Amino acid sequence: MEKRDYDAIVVGSGPNGLSAAILLQQHGLQVLVLESKSTIGGGLRTAELTLPGFKHDICSAIHPLALGSPFFKTLPLQQHGLQYVLPEIDAAHPFDNGNAAVLKRSIHETAALLKADQNTYLKLLAPLVKSWAGLSPNILGPLQFPKHPLDFARFGLLALQPATLLAKNFKTAEARALFAGMAAHAIQPLGNLATSAVALVLLANGHLGGWPIPRGGSQAIANALAGYFLSLGGNIQTGIHVTSLAQLPSAHAVLFDVTPKQLLQIAGHRFSSLYKWQLERYRYGDGVFKIDWALDAPIPFKAEECRKAGTVHLGGTLEEIVMAENASAKGRHADKPYVLLAQQSLFDNTRAPEGKHTAWAYCHVPNGSTKDMTVSIEQQVERFAPGFRDRVLARHTFNTQQIEEHNPNYIGGDINGGRLNIAQLFTRPALRWSPYKTSAKGLYICSSSTPPGGGVHGMCGYHAAKRVLKDLFHIIAP
């Protein structure tokens, strides 16, 4: 091959961009990562947003797929400073009567607490937990023939169902609500096909090792990925906002950790008319409104289980969550939104000054919404934790436009890199033999706008890099 400045350039330093860069560098290539911000990380950033000494995760906070990621498992991230903390309870779902359903690492403890639904829960989750190692490359990757077709078929028959339909297998309101709260991570109406997939994967990963919290903040994951990449001889440059291919040094391959909107702006002139048409038709999902709090004391949840949980889903019954998610999908703002809340400082004392605490939360809103949802979110917290507002020292908010300004990949506040509905589950960002390969030779996309979509797992970047190695360097990566 003719000499270039680099073998590969990765534009964007989120978990997928860094994962792609690592795999390429591991195979002897010279790789440059370019980041527009002054710090690396994409959605993995931590900052003092409220008061000095209070560390807040700017976007991603809890990482259910970090321990279950087939690629992350192969990396020596602990040697580069990454330490995970595991709460006693991964996730809790409180109710108005003061009780709560919970996700614990033990599948049998979780099932037993669901009482009448114990056997149903085990029937749904135990096979997936048992077969996860063999299934995860297919679940967390592009559409391909599975190595374990019977296990994958069983998962597929359940995963393709709407969450509202699969939840009918449960007898109790508690089990149905717990499942709905998991499915709502898909950020779409729970009556949509394949919303059960998100719930099943999140629940299974809770039993496969837990939902970890990075000590010191989510930035620690990005720092560890970058540290390992640099130890391999890679190069990272920050403060470089790429808007044109002309800005880039010469390279055999360029991988973009961006969504279709930015990809068209940067390289649209190089694409075929069909590929451009497909990217232009790519659809983004609902946005989020986010709040970070500096607190004088822990959140006073009525349910004891919530005070031991890293993540708390505030949504009440399945029916209430369904109404909230339908509202945002139809361009409305729910009066009682489904709220995802994390309380990292309960388990990581580096997040706040001694005796103080932080909390992180968001709700779903229409894409591009500028409405301030602070009151609605805090009413939901107060509903399950009376006296919460009295403990707030300071707050910081992001509406969808502000989130996009902070991270251009979050188009209209969409943190999943595009709708995760059945139409874009495996065909994101376009219907192609390889979703990571654009129509222009040497140009690839490795963001969450490719399979398997959003989440901190690095698998989008891993699969894109595998394609680059095979296409351009004739290397078959494992």
Side-chain angles (χ1 to χ4, degrees):
M1 302 178 74
E2 64 182 83
K3 180 65 177 175
R4 303 285 175 91
D5 294 323
Y6 294 91
D7 292 311
I9 296 172
V10 178
V11 178
S13 69
N16 288 309
L18 290 172
S19 294
I22 286 170
L23 185 65
L24 296 172
Q25 194 75 32
Q26 283 177 328
H27 285 81
L29 276 61
Q30 289 300 307
V31 184
L32 169 68
V33 174
L34 297 176
E35 168 57 46
S36 64
K37 300 293 183 179
S38 60
T39 58
I40 61 164
L44 295 173
R45 290 192 174 98
T46 304
E48 295 181 343
L49 298 177
T50 55
L51 298 172
F54 291 82
K55 296 179 182 178
H56 304 279
D57 291 325
I58 295 175
C59 182
S60 183
I62 310 291
H63 311 285
L65 293 172
L67 295 178
S69 166
F71 184 56
F72 281 3
K73 284 183 176 181
T74 69
L75 305 180
L77 300 183
Q78 287 186 340
Q79 296 176 23
H80 293 273
L82 180 60
Q83 297 180 31
Y84 283 127
V85 180
L86 288 169
E88 179 180 341
I89 294 173
D90 289 320
H93 191 115
F95 303 98
D96 291 315
N97 63 5
N99 295 330
V102 299
L103 171 66
K104 304 189 77 172
R105 282 188 291 286
S106 167
I107 188 171
H108 294 287
E109 284 186 51
T110 301
L113 291 169
L114 294 175
K115 297 178 181 178
D117 286 309
Q118 177 176 358
N119 291 335
T120 302
Y121 187 85
L122 290 173
K123 184 179 178 181
L124 279 177
L125 271 300
L128 179 56
V129 171
K130 183 178 179 180
S131 58
W132 177 261
L135 289 178
S136 58
N138 292 104
I139 294 174
L140 299 178
L143 190 61
Q144 56 188 333
F145 189 80
K147 293 182 179 179
H148 304 275
L150 293 180
D151 288 338
F152 190 72
R154 184 193 182 283
F155 169 74
L157 288 173
L158 296 173
L160 289 174
Q161 295 182 40
T164 49
L165 179 61
L166 192 57
K168 290 182 178 179
N169 286 281
F170 295 113
K171 301 174 183 177
T172 65
E174 290 78 10
R176 289 195 295 270
L178 179 67
F179 190 81
M182 298 292 169
H185 282 251
I187 315 183
Q188 60 182 293
L190 301 194
N192 285 2
L193 289 172
T195 43
S196 289
V198 174
L200 292 170
V201 168
L202 292 177
L203 289 167
N205 275 269
H207 302 313
L208 287 160
W211 290 12
I213 298 171
R215 185 168 175 80
S218 292
Q219 185 76 48
I221 301 178
N223 290 346
L225 289 167
Y228 176 54
F229 171 64
L230 293 174
S231 76
L232 297 172
N235 186 357
I236 298 175
Q237 296 179 17
T238 59
I240 299 176
H241 182 50
V242 176
T243 58
S244 167
L245 293 176
Q247 295 174 252
L248 303 178
S250 62
H252 295 292
V254 182
L255 296 84
F256 293 93
D257 188 5
V258 302
T259 78
K261 181 178 179 179
Q262 300 103 297
L263 186 60
L264 282 167
Q265 293 168 347
I266 296 169
H269 63 286
R270 291 277 302 275
F271 299 149
S272 69
S273 57
L274 175 60
Y275 188 66
K276 285 179 64 176
W277 178 79
Q278 288 183 293
L279 293 187
E280 288 165 353
R281 288 173 58 85
Y282 188 75
R283 294 293 176 258
Y284 293 93
D286 292 347
V288 302
F289 181 93
K290 177 176 176 283
I291 304 181
D292 289 283
W293 293 284
L295 302 173
D296 192 41
I299 299 175
F301 284 110
K302 289 186 290 184
E304 180 183 358
E305 296 90 341
C306 293
R307 300 195 293 271
K308 300 176 180 178
T311 300
V312 183
H313 293 159
L314 305 176
T317 64
L318 176 149
E319 291 76 14
E320 187 178 323
I321 296 171
V322 167
M323 288 179 61
E325 296 304 285
N326 285 345
S328 60
K330 293 178 180 178
R332 304 194 307 268
H333 297 82
D335 294 330
K336 293 183 177 181
Y338 164 74
V339 174
L340 290 95
L341 183 146
Q343 38 192 7
Q344 304 95 311
S345 64
L346 289 181
F347 314 97
D348 177 5
N349 61 10
T350 70
R351 301 297 187 101
E354 185 175 356
K356 308 301 179 184
H357 285 274
T358 63
W360 167 108
Y362 69 82
C363 73
H364 303 150
V365 295
N367 190 286
S369 166
T370 57
K371 182 174 180 178
D372 188 334
M373 295 293 288
T374 300
V375 172
S376 296
I377 289 176
E378 292 191 349
Q379 284 177 343
Q380 283 288 71
V381 182
E382 189 82 18
R383 169 183 170 186
F384 301 103
F388 162 73
R389 288 194 189 93
D390 296 335
R391 301 189 177 188
V392 175
L393 298 173
R395 62 178 58 81
H396 177 277
T397 64
F398 273 128
N399 64 28
T400 65
Q401 291 186 2
Q402 292 164 332
I403 287 174
E404 184 177 346
E405 288 172 7
H406 175 78
N407 189 333
N409 273 3
Y410 299 152
I411 306 296
D414 176 0
I415 59 175
N416 271 337
R419 287 182 188 168
L420 267 175
N421 58 11
I422 190 67
Q424 293 189 162
L425 195 58
F426 289 108
T427 60
R428 54 201 296 122
L431 180 59
R432 296 176 61 78
W433 180 253
S434 171
Y436 313 100
K437 188 175 181 178
T438 74
S439 63
K441 184 178 180 180
L443 302 184
Y444 295 77
I445 179 170
C446 65
S447 71
S448 59
S449 296
T450 63
V456 178
H457 43 64
M459 295 304 292
C460 306
Y462 165 78
H463 287 294
K466 277 187 66 174
R467 174 52 58 179
V468 170
L469 288 170
K470 182 179 180 180
D471 288 350
L472 303 182
F473 300 95
H474 310 294
I475 297 172
I476 306 298

